[in-house]
């Protein structure tokens, strides 16, 4: 099946999202590169276009229902009906529970959970119309519990429930939903965590690698490779799954 598809990747200005956007474009999809700041999406769009692909920079806060509706409508208008969605946008507000503020909690829930819900609700309309769709949600090994991440672990576990429910509700329309749960991936997010605990990033990565069975930390491309399969036409019988991509059973 070689029909061109339109994909939306959120949080795609950098890190894992940027790698996924570039990979889906290389797979032949037109890709909407969505992030808070539209200008920050432009380098990724230019890289995709330079490689012969099609892409669009879209600025939107995934936690804002009106912005999400406008962004999805614009993508449908300019790139075609979006049938592939990767809910990747994310933030950290780490703190031990006794120091975690209401805002630390709400911000993480808004971006990860509300953002993925709003995007999925807006995109499923196009998927149902097209009788085809792929949704990939970015969970995390933190869903299994992680010190200092009561908010993030809860959101990442919640995304697994959203994924399974989307799989059940949308399956009959040819839509699959799966979650990728990365372990330690080298991005600005993990660099910020190193900075927060006062560690040099190279030392931080080396220490993390020692606890990972394959002996290294992950790269954004490790996640993009699985996203490529889960967003592609051949994965139609894989749905409602959570796949840990962590160099071992868990990081
Ligand atoms: P990253 O480098 O921090 O990139 C996240 C992107 O999301 C940033 O460009 C950020 O924009 C954007 N974003 C934040 N809030 C947004 C919002 N409300 N609307 C739209 N975009 C928003 O993170 P990453 O490491 O690539 O992580 C990507 C995803 O994988 C996240 O969901 C993360 O939780 C998950 N994950 C990462 C790891 C890891 O080790 N890196 C492990 C497990 C899971 P701004 O820069 O403007 O804030």
């Amino acid at each position: 099946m070689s029909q061109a598809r339109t994909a939306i990747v959120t949080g795609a200005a950098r890190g894992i999202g940027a790698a996924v956007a570039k990979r889906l474009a290389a797979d032949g999809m037109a890709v909407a590169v969505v992030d808070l700041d539209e200008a920050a999406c432009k380098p990724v769009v230019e890289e995709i276009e330079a490689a012969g692909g099609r892409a669009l920079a879209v600025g939107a806060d995934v936690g804002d229902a009106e912005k999400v509706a406008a962004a999805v409508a614009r993508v449908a208008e300019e790139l075609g009906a979006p049938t592939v969605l990767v809910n990747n946008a994310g933030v950290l507000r780490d703190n031990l529970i006794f120091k975690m503020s209401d805002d630390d909690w709400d911000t993480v829930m808004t971006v990860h959970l509300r953002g993925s819900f709003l995007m999925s609700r807006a995109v499923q309309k196009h998927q149902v119309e097209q009788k085809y769709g792929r949704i990939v949600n970015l969970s995390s090994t933190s869903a299994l519990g992680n010190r200092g991440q009561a908010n993030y672990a809860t959101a990442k576990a919640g995304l697994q429930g959203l994924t399974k429910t989307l799989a059940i509700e949308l399956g009959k329309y040819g839509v699959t939903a799966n979650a990728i749960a990365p372990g330690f991936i080298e991005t600005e997010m993990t660099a910020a965590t190193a900075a927060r605990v006062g560690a040099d990033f190279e030392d931080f990565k080396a220490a993390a690698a020692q606890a990972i069975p394959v002996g290294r930390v992950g790269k954004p491309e490790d996640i993009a490779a699985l996203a490529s399969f889960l967003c592609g036409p051949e994965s139609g019988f894989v749905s409602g799954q959570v796949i840990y991509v962590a160099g071992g059973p868990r990081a």
Side-chain angles (χ1 to χ4, degrees):
M1 197 198 66
S2 61
Q3 193 181 344
R5 298 286 181 194
T6 295
I8 292 177
V9 185
T10 68
R14 66 172 196 234
I16 293 170
V20 170
K22 287 186 260 184
R23 177 63 193 257
L24 297 187
D27 291 346
M29 297 182 207
V31 180
V33 178
V34 177
D35 211 296
L36 282 172
D37 176 15
E38 187 161 318
C41 301
K42 291 261 162 68
V44 178
V45 168
E46 284 164 12
E47 214 180 308
I48 289 172
E49 288 174 344
R54 235 178 121 214
L56 177 71
V58 180
D61 178 347
V62 297
D64 181 325
E66 279 180 26
K67 296 275 172 15
V68 166
V72 172
R74 186 177 159 211
V75 172
E77 177 81 21
E78 296 189 34
L79 289 182
T83 51
V84 176
L85 171 64
V86 180
N87 285 310
N88 167 83
V91 289
L92 293 180
R93 293 290 185 275
D94 293 357
N95 240 326
L96 293 173
I97 186 77
F98 76 98
K99 286 191 284 190
M100 188 171 283
S101 69
D102 295 7
D103 190 55
D104 290 336
W105 179 269
D106 291 343
T107 299
V108 167
M109 295 306 150
T110 300
V111 178
H112 295 268
L113 286 181
R114 183 176 159 82
S116 299
F117 156 65
L118 291 174
M119 270 289 170
S120 300
R121 189 179 61 181
V123 167
Q124 61 79 33
K125 174 177 165 288
H126 296 283
Q127 295 175 321
V128 169
E129 277 170 16
Q130 302 290 319
K131 299 220 166 12
Y132 178 89
R134 299 283 183 263
I135 298 174
V136 171
N137 296 318
L138 267 290
S139 179
S140 167
T141 50
S142 294
L144 302 169
N146 201 23
R147 185 179 163 81
Q149 293 195 318
N151 50 4
Y152 185 81
T154 302
K156 291 308 199 187
L159 280 171
Q160 297 187 6
L162 174 66
T163 301
K164 290 168 192 287
T165 302
L166 292 172
I168 290 166
E169 291 187 12
L170 299 175
K172 66 180 171 198
Y173 303 107
V175 180
T176 65
N178 292 286
I180 299 176
F184 189 119
I185 308 296
E186 182 176 355
T187 67
E188 286 188 36
M189 185 176 271
T190 38
T193 301
R196 193 177 61 81
V197 299
D200 172 75
F201 193 34
E202 293 307 314
D203 295 343
F204 193 66
K205 283 188 293 181
Q210 283 192 342
I212 298 173
V214 302
R216 67 168 176 89
V217 299
K219 304 183 297 295
E221 291 73 20
D222 292 316
I223 305 305
L226 178 58
S228 169
F229 173 68
L230 294 175
C231 291
E234 290 184 323
S235 58
F237 206 55
V238 181
S239 197
Q241 300 306 303
V242 178
I243 303 175
Y244 286 85
V245 182
R250 71 156 294 183

